[in-house]
Amino acid sequence: MARVAARLSTDGKQSTHPVDEVLPLPKLALYGFQHVLAFYAGAVIVPIIVGSALKLSPEQLVYLINADLFTCGIASIIQAWGIGRIGARLPLIQGVTFTAVSPMIAIGLGAGGGTAALLVIYGAVITAGIATFAFAWLPAKAFRTVMRLFPPVVTGTVITVLGIVLIPVGLNDAAGGLGSPDFGEPKNFAYAGGTMLFILILMKLGKPFLSSIAILLGLVVGTGVAFLLGDAKFGDVGNSDWIGVTTPFHFGVPKFEWFPIVLMLIVMLITMVETTGDTYAVGDIVGKEVDSETVARALRADGAATALGGVLNSFPYVAFAENVGLVRMTKVKSRFVVVAAGVFMIVLGLLPKAAAIVAAVPHGVLGGAATVMFAMVALAGIQTLGKVDLKEEKNALIVGVSLAFALLPATVPVFFTKHMDADLSSLLNSGVTLGATAAIVLNLIFNGLAADNAHDAPETGAQALAEAEVDTAPGSGSGATAPEVPAAVPAQVASPAPSAEKADDADPTPSPSAP
């Protein structure tokens, strides 16, 4: 039964590759590069926004982007491969968190902009990274107590919020990219719609291998069509250097000031909620049990990557929800694919020309693919909420009110820009920050601290897997097709895999308290 559990995905189909499988090199390269393309825009947008706001020169901006990619690669390898008790050993891509954008701009402008502002930001980033790393080494009992703040109703809500907040990012790309001269032009939506349609057709009609690289093929084909029509420009490739090495403290020695440090510590609290939710979500998807130690290892990787980011001229890091959606779509669950993606990112961080080629993907094409993935992120959150009894009014209120708070910054931005202190606005003008904070506070009010086993899958999920094993056994007459998973267990199916091994020798009869 344990073997079947490890092979099944959340929708009852067989997994293409289990989480600990090392794939042949060609597949590793293809799947890894797909992850890079999927997250590339999200990875580089933060240094672009922050660098532009701080009035950095084009050369300094390129350096920031290369430093970000280089550090992303190292951070992703640490998270997916694992070093001792650091890293979740799950297919989690690490990227710069969007939550930090507004606070970093506020810190930088307060410091006068330019490279002097970067030194203050890096001092705060290094301090916050070390604090996060230290927090994740709390004694097991103390750490479990803190993690009781994040039951499925909280983590599921946060992941859903991430997807909902990210979907407009994809749609803005589909429109041509905010600030671009042709923003909103029909041709951009045509590229986005064509790319999306191509991906969906591959997912529906393609063979398993083609389906697993649908995002990559969609981006390649979309960019090819745009190039033939004169809308994909590769001129910057020739103007870029071949080699660009990231060196520690390139812009100078960091400065440590108390208010920027406090602000960045608050940012890291929010990113810890994001990473916690992403870890549980990807655990469900790949069929690997996630416990408090797994979350602690993921947060240690976050803290180490963030501190390293401050040293290597980058920013705070978090497990990227976008790529959680990609894992679910492709059903390629091997964590070594993320390791391969990390190697690609390091190479891109060292080769500005290679990064310029990837950057030439038109916004419309990228937006079409990104919108599909971001929608899958929201679905991953909804699946986590499948563990929650939403017939209980208090749980329904937690989810509904948190979603409403998350939409406030995008719906009424004037409240934050004109009627709030600049420092406070830099912290609260984020849908993820407001949504996550509301979910935690409301859950404490209505439910209090969760039980230690709040994220454990109910027995019904294990029962469904047991039935799947029987139905797919040789001679059962069902053929090779796995049965559909009952609708009553949408999110639980993936998580019992490791614990199912223990259940093999246990009494299969559900306990009276099982849902």
Side-chain angles (χ1 to χ4, degrees), residues 8 14 37 42 69 82 98 118 126-127 148 150 152 170 178 250 312-313 375 416 420 423 433 442 498-499 501:
L8 291 181
Q14 284 195 350
L37 288 181
L69 289 170
F98 289 93
L118 286 176
I126 292 171
T127 305
R148 290 169 65 191
F150 311 123
L178 278 175
H250 173 79
L312 293 180
N313 319 292
F416 299 91
M420 189 176 288
D423 291 335
T433 300
L442 290 173
S499 59
E501 296 174 4

Side-chain angles (χ1 to χ4, degrees), residues 143-220:
F143 188 81
R144 283 199 301 271
T145 300
V146 175
M147 296 316 298
R148 290 169 65 191
L149 290 168
F150 311 123
V153 70
V154 173
T155 56
T157 300
V158 171
I159 294 297
T160 304
V161 164
L162 277 169
I164 291 174
V165 169
L166 286 170
I167 286 173
V169 176
L171 293 175
N172 280 327
D173 266 330
L178 278 175
S180 64
D182 62 347
F183 182 75
E185 290 292 326
K187 69 175 182 180
N188 295 321
F189 289 109
Y191 286 131
T195 302
M196 186 182 297
L197 180 62
F198 183 80
I199 291 170
L200 294 177
I201 290 174
L202 284 182
M203 296 295 295
K204 176 65 177 176
L205 303 177
K207 295 181 179 180
F209 178 71
L210 287 178
S211 297
S212 67
I213 58 170
I215 297 291
L216 174 60
L217 292 178
L219 290 170
V220 170

Side-chain angles (χ1 to χ4, degrees), residues 415-514:
F415 174 72
F416 299 91
T417 57
K418 290 188 177 180
H419 304 292
M420 189 176 288
D421 176 77
D423 291 335
L424 189 60
S425 174
S426 68
L427 174 64
L428 297 181
N429 192 9
S430 162
V432 176
T433 300
L434 290 184
T437 303
I440 294 170
V441 173
L442 290 173
N443 180 67
L444 283 175
I445 293 172
F446 284 110
N447 295 325
L449 288 174
D452 277 341
N453 63 346
H455 279 276
D456 289 351
E459 286 292 327
T460 48
Q463 287 175 318
L465 288 171
E467 293 170 7
E469 182 177 34
V470 171
D471 289 343
T472 57
S476 65
S478 61
T481 304
E484 290 189 3
V485 178
V489 286
Q492 297 93 317
V493 174
S495 56
S499 59
E501 296 174 4
K502 301 175 185 177
D504 286 341
D505 300 323
D507 182 359
T509 306
S511 65
S513 61

Side-chain angles (χ1 to χ4, degrees), residues 65-155:
I65 294 172
N66 284 333
D68 176 28
L69 289 170
F70 183 80
T71 314
C72 277
I74 297 173
S76 297
I77 292 172
I78 292 172
Q79 186 71 274
W81 183 284
I83 299 175
R85 295 176 64 191
I86 303 171
R89 292 178 171 84
L90 289 169
L92 288 168
I93 289 280
Q94 297 292 105
V96 176
T97 175
F98 289 93
T99 307
V101 171
S102 294
M104 288 193 299
I105 291 175
I107 292 170
L109 294 179
T115 56
L118 286 176
L119 300 181
V120 178
I121 292 173
Y122 291 148
V125 168
I126 292 171
T127 305
I130 294 172
T132 303
F133 186 78
F135 165 80
W137 286 99
L138 283 174
K141 184 176 180 180
F143 188 81
R144 283 199 301 271
T145 300
V146 175
M147 296 316 298
R148 290 169 65 191
L149 290 168
F150 311 123
V153 70
V154 173
T155 56

Side-chain angles (χ1 to χ4, degrees), residues 33-34 98 151 175 184 259 303 336 390 468 499 504 506:
F33 192 61
Q34 179 172 245
F98 289 93
F259 179 75
F336 297 102
L390 293 178
S499 59
D504 286 341

